[in-house]
């Protein structure tokens, strides 16, 4: 087989991996949406008060915050053994899906099953973390560096499509029994995870990792700053989209129009990632993250000050595009920063940052912050501050790294 044929075969295999990752993220995120839709009803069936629903959701995010990083670290230790990472992901997916399917059936047993119901949620939350960072570890270990931005965009495409579909899913599932949706989503998720495990085995068998695994080291200054910025970006996204977007639209539209307007953000998200991946390929993820953060802050200000529905819709599209660039670049940057055997750890920290941002937003809702007039300006302008400060900080870090690289080249050539 010629080198051109090998290259074409590797490219096709890489795209197939990216598409499976996209389906995995899509099905998992839709499963989470299904869970959120039905949780109030299931909690009521086991005798839990309505006020405990938000606390359960916060518990989920707290578990994700810890478990995503722990699963990423586990993936780094398992990945050097050919085929073991896929086996690990498949096993965790099996346990996760079993716990998820059991939730509506256990809830049907009434108040006597309250403890089992909470226990299943905890098991599901912990094991489902294996479906985020560990599969993405494949990209960092077995794919050429120039391929990573496009593959990261493909992987995040599933997340974006799920975000766009979620409002419709809520309308469709609202009056249906929970058991069938839970079974179907779990079956598709498990089949996708098992298929991905087979791909991992083939890729690992035929490709050598780009860098040997090293002993775990404390995060340096750049990775730490990157993760802190990611927490700020995630919090900005949660406050803007989950808390402020609907009230923005309701200034000009009726409540029944939200299901058509809210996905505009995700349309921008999905469209922008792929052209941005080309920039990441040549300029690096940190630069694109930083620029997208500043651009997104301007889009949020425009949405805040919009005087018509058309202007607001355009601003939401651009804010979604900015978030898509940020998230895709974050995955690419995490894989690049952890490219010495710590891909899983750094990628896990990115997902932990996302969970932490979600937890903070839920805590604000649970505390009734959005109903307090004194805090309204804070909630409106905090996303702008989060995205602009984090974006500027990332650009400073990227510039410093670029300058250090140039000085190193000059010194080496002297």
């Amino acid at each position: 087989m010629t080198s051109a044929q090998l290259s074409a075969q590797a490219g096709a295999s890489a795209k197939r991996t990216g598409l499976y990752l996209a389906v995995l993220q899509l099905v998992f995120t839709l499963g989470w949406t299904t869970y959120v839709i039905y949780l109030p009803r299931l909690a009521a069936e086991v005798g839990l008060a309505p006020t405990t629903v938000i606390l359960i959701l916060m518990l989920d995010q707290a578990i994700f915050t810890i478990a995503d990083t722990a699963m990423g670290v586990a993936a780094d230790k398992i990945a050097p053994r050919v085929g073991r990472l896929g086996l690990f992901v498949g096993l965790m997916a099996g346990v996760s899906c079993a716990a998820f399917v059991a939730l509506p059936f256990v809830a049907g047993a009434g108040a006597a099953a309250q403890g089992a119901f909470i226990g299943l949620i905890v098991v599901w939350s912990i094991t489902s973390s294996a479906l985020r960072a560990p599969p993405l570890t494949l990209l960092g270990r077995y794919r050429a560096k120039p391929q990573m931005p496009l593959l990261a965009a493909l992987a995040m495409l599933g997340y974006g499509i799920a975000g766009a579909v979620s409002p419709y899913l809520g309308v469709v599932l609202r009056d249906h029994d929970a058991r069938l949706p839970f079974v179907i989503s779990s079956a598709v998720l498990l089949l996708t995870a098992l298929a991905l495990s087979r791909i991992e085995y083939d890729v690992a068998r035929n490709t050598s990792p780009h860098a040997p695994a090293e002993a775990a080291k404390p995060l340096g200054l750049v990775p730490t700053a990157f993760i802190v910025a990611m927490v700020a970006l995630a919090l900005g996204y949660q406050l803007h989209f989950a808390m402020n977007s609907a009230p923005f639209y309701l200034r000009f539209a009726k409540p029944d129009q939200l299901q058509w307007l809210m996905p505009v953000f995700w349309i921008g998200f999905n469209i922008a990632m792929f052209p941005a991946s080309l920039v990441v390929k040549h300029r690096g993820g940190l630069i694109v993250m930083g620029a997208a953060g500043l651009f997104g802050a301007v889009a949020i200000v425009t949405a805040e000050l919009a005087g018509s529905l058309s202007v607001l819709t355009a601003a939401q599209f651009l804010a979604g595009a900015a978030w898509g660039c940020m998230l895709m670049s974050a995955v690419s940057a995490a894989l690049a920063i952890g490219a010495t055997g710590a891909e899983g750890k750094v990628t896990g920290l990115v997902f932990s940052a996302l969970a932490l941002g979600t937890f903070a937003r839920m805590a604000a809702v649970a505390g009734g912050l959005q109903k307090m007039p004194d805090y309204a300006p804070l909630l409106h302008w905090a996303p702008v501050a989060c995205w602009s400060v984090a974006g500027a900080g990332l650009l400073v870090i990227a510039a410093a790294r670029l300058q250090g690289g140039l000085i190193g080249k000059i010194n080496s050539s002297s």
Side-chain angles (χ1 to χ4, degrees):
M1 187 176 293
T2 65
S3 59
Q5 290 174 322
L6 288 172
S7 178
Q9 184 179 11
S13 177
K15 290 178 181 178
R16 186 174 57 157
T17 304
L19 288 173
Y20 269 101
L21 288 170
V23 173
L24 190 69
Q25 291 297 322
L26 169 64
V27 178
F28 174 79
T29 307
L30 288 179
W32 164 258
T33 302
T34 302
Y35 166 76
V36 172
I37 291 169
Y38 283 110
L39 182 60
R41 188 189 308 178
L42 298 178
E45 289 181 14
V46 295
L48 293 172
T51 53
T52 62
V53 171
I54 187 66
L55 298 179
I56 293 173
L57 292 173
M58 289 172 64
L59 173 65
D60 293 332
Q61 297 303 322
I63 292 172
F64 290 156
T65 300
I66 298 170
D68 281 343
T69 299
M71 290 294 182
V73 172
D76 287 332
K77 294 181 178 179
I78 295 170
R81 299 183 178 182
V82 174
R84 293 295 179 87
L85 181 57
L87 181 63
F88 172 73
V89 171
L91 178 61
M92 290 295 102
V95 175
S96 175
C97 291
F100 192 69
V101 167
L103 283 173
F105 293 94
V106 170
Q114 197 173 100
F117 182 74
I118 297 298
L120 284 171
I121 289 176
V122 172
V123 171
W124 170 72
S125 299
I126 293 172
T127 53
S128 64
S129 288
L131 302 175
R132 286 187 287 275
L136 288 168
T137 303
L138 289 173
L139 303 185
R141 284 188 173 268
Y142 297 107
R143 292 306 181 193
K145 187 176 180 181
Q147 295 176 326
M148 289 182 196
L150 176 60
L151 296 178
L154 282 171
M156 292 299 100
L157 178 65
Y159 179 78
I161 292 175
V165 172
S166 291
Y168 311 124
L169 195 65
V171 174
V172 171
L173 296 180
R174 188 178 299 153
D175 300 320
H176 287 75
D177 184 89
R179 287 172 290 186
L180 186 59
F182 273 63
V183 170
I184 292 175
S185 63
S186 295
V188 176
L189 182 62
L190 181 58
L191 289 174
T192 305
L194 293 175
L196 187 63
S197 69
R198 178 61 190 177
I199 290 176
E200 185 268 341
Y201 179 79
D202 292 338
V203 170
R205 184 183 58 187
N206 298 324
T207 312
S208 298
H210 295 297
E214 296 181 357
K217 297 178 181 179
L219 290 178
L221 179 60
V222 171
T224 301
F226 164 70
I227 295 302
V228 170
M230 191 63 220
V231 172
L233 295 174
L235 179 60
Y237 152 69
Q238 287 290 335
L239 294 177
H240 170 66
F241 181 75
M243 294 190 71
N244 295 341
S245 288
F248 284 173
Y249 278 124
L250 291 175
R251 294 182 306 190
F252 310 105
K254 297 179 180 179
D256 60 357
Q257 294 178 287
L258 288 179
Q259 61 179 306
W260 307 108
L261 294 170
M262 294 295 280
V264 168
F265 181 93
W266 294 106
I267 294 172
F269 179 99
N270 291 324
I271 290 175
M273 285 191 297
F274 292 97
S277 70
L278 299 176
V279 183
V280 173
K281 180 178 178 179
H282 297 287
R283 293 290 181 264
L286 293 180
I287 291 177
V288 175
M289 280 183 74
L294 295 179
F295 181 82
V298 174
I300 293 176
V301 171
T302 304
E304 178 75 35
L305 303 177
S308 67
L309 181 60
S310 58
V311 173
L312 174 58
T313 302
Q316 286 290 81
F317 177 88
L318 295 176
W323 178 236
C325 294
M326 286 181 245
L327 198 54
M328 177 276 299
S329 303
V331 173
S332 298
L335 294 172
I337 290 171
T340 55
E343 294 90 347
K345 178 180 180 180
V346 182
T347 306
L349 284 167
V350 168
F351 283 99
S352 290
L354 294 173
L356 187 59
T358 307
F359 178 89
R361 185 259 300 173
M362 289 179 175
V365 172
L369 204 63
Q370 76 278 16
K371 298 178 182 178
M372 301 178 185
D374 292 342
Y375 289 96
L378 173 64
L379 292 179
H380 281 198
W381 296 107
V384 177
C386 287
W387 279 11
S388 58
V389 171
L394 287 167
L395 287 177
V396 169
I397 294 171
R401 295 189 77 188
L402 179 61
Q403 184 179 20
L406 290 174
I407 292 174
K409 289 182 179 179
I410 293 172
N411 292 335
S412 63
S413 61
S414 299

